[in-house]
Amino acid sequence: MKAFIAENIKGRRYAELAKLMSARFGITFTAGQMHAYAQNHSLSNEMPTGPIAGERPLLFPEPILTFIRENAKGKTNAELWKLVNATFGTDYTEKQVKQVKQRNHISSGLDGRFKPGTTPPNKGKKGYCAPGCEKSWFQKGHEPNNHLPVGSEVMRTDGYLQVKIAEPNIWKLKHILVWEKANGPVPKGSVVLFLDGNHENTSLENLMLITRAELARLNQRNLIRDDADLTKSGVLVARLISEIG
């Protein structure tokens, strides 16, 4: 097949070569396949480019393409599309005009931003609602099906338990609530540590207040273990390292 293409490509259009290949080998080839093969193997049919008699003409002839280049500045795709059809009596779609601009690197110069002094079309409006849509609105006092009452506990995606403490949707981490109930607010720059590393064990005995600097030392030296006593010892080591520093 490769030898056949090399011998017959010169002087033939890719569509003609595809038909020749299909007849010779009993396999359906397309002009696109022949073109791609020729490009990949540095072969040339040595034929002039552009449409020939009997072939499908260009979708955008040069006069129309030139018109698009000259009139694209400052116009949206919709404006340019309408202008082209009105000028040449064509029936292009807006998408076709947009695509030919992209293929030929034609820019309108518009960036979609509001210019200084421009009045937005929705100024003074709170939004548009189609007539009759208010029938499907939630009524005042409506309670969604997934509503959870105050006191509900939920496991977050990071593995921490949180508790709903107020409506409509106020939540707080459970281990913080437990520690603060016994000791007051967590001081700034401090965190509450799980001594056994289990985020579901929120008993007060498993919680310890440490500074963020101490937490950094614990993480750096892998001193947080699944045993509460070992972690307490790790905290003492972290504090000693900080004092030495």
Side-chain angles (χ1 to χ4, degrees):
M1 288 183 182
K2 293 179 179 179
F4 185 86
I5 293 174
E7 293 172 0
N8 293 275
I9 190 171
K10 291 185 179 180
R12 286 188 170 88
R13 295 274 175 170
Y14 294 115
E16 183 183 357
L17 181 60
K19 292 179 182 178
L20 198 61
M21 284 284 291
S22 299
R24 172 65 177 80
F25 295 100
I27 302 174
T28 302
F29 292 95
T30 66
Q33 289 172 328
M34 295 296 98
H35 188 197
Y37 178 86
Q39 286 184 323
N40 292 336
H41 293 80
S42 302
L43 298 175
S44 173
N45 60 3
E46 299 181 1
M47 294 289 290
T49 58
I52 59 175
E55 289 191 355
R56 182 179 177 181
L58 291 173
L59 180 61
F60 286 87
E62 189 57 38
I64 298 181
L65 190 57
T66 300
F67 181 87
I68 291 175
R69 286 195 181 96
E70 294 174 350
N71 292 274
K73 293 293 183 183
K75 293 184 177 63
T76 64
N77 291 328
E79 292 171 339
L80 184 61
W81 158 60
K82 293 177 181 177
L83 180 62
V84 170
N85 284 341
T87 303
F88 294 94
T90 51
D91 57 354
Y92 295 120
T93 65
E94 182 180 346
K95 183 178 180 180
Q96 287 174 323
V97 172
K98 177 182 178 181
Q99 290 174 338
V100 76
K101 285 174 59 184
Q102 291 174 337
R103 287 196 300 270
N104 291 274
H105 308 290
I106 300 172
S107 173
S108 65
L110 302 176
D111 56 14
R113 300 175 184 175
F114 286 122
K115 299 297 183 291
T118 301
T119 302
N122 61 344
K123 183 178 181 180
K125 300 179 181 179
K126 293 184 177 180
Y128 172 77
C129 298
C133 70
E134 64 277 1
K135 296 177 182 179
S136 63
W137 294 353
F138 288 127
Q139 301 303 314
K140 187 175 182 180
H142 171 80
E143 187 174 283
N145 295 331
N146 61 351
H147 174 266
L148 293 174
V150 173
S152 299
E153 295 185 9
V154 173
M155 179 69 73
R156 299 197 324 187
T157 56
D158 58 4
Y160 288 91
L161 284 168
Q162 61 179 0
V163 181
K164 187 172 184 178
I165 60 174
E167 297 289 359
N169 199 31
I170 310 300
W171 298 77
K172 195 166 187 176
L173 292 171
K174 184 176 180 179
H175 67 285
I176 301 296
L177 285 174
V178 172
W179 195 90
E180 289 185 338
K181 184 176 181 181
N183 301 283
V186 174
K188 185 178 180 180
S190 298
V191 296
V192 177
L193 176 70
F194 294 90
L195 291 173
D196 64 357
N198 181 7
H199 295 170
E200 296 184 35
N201 184 2
T202 57
S203 62
L204 185 60
E205 296 75 19
N206 191 48
L207 304 176
M208 184 177 187
L209 186 72
I210 62 173
T211 65
R212 292 192 178 276
E214 292 167 349
L215 179 62
R217 298 287 188 185
L218 290 170
N219 288 326
Q220 288 169 357
R221 297 178 179 265
N222 194 28
L223 296 173
I224 300 176
R225 304 301 179 87
D226 55 4
D227 180 277
D229 291 332
L230 288 177
T231 301
K232 287 180 181 178
S233 299
V235 172
L236 294 177
V237 172
R239 288 174 178 172
L240 181 60
I241 293 172
S242 295
E243 288 297 326
I244 293 172

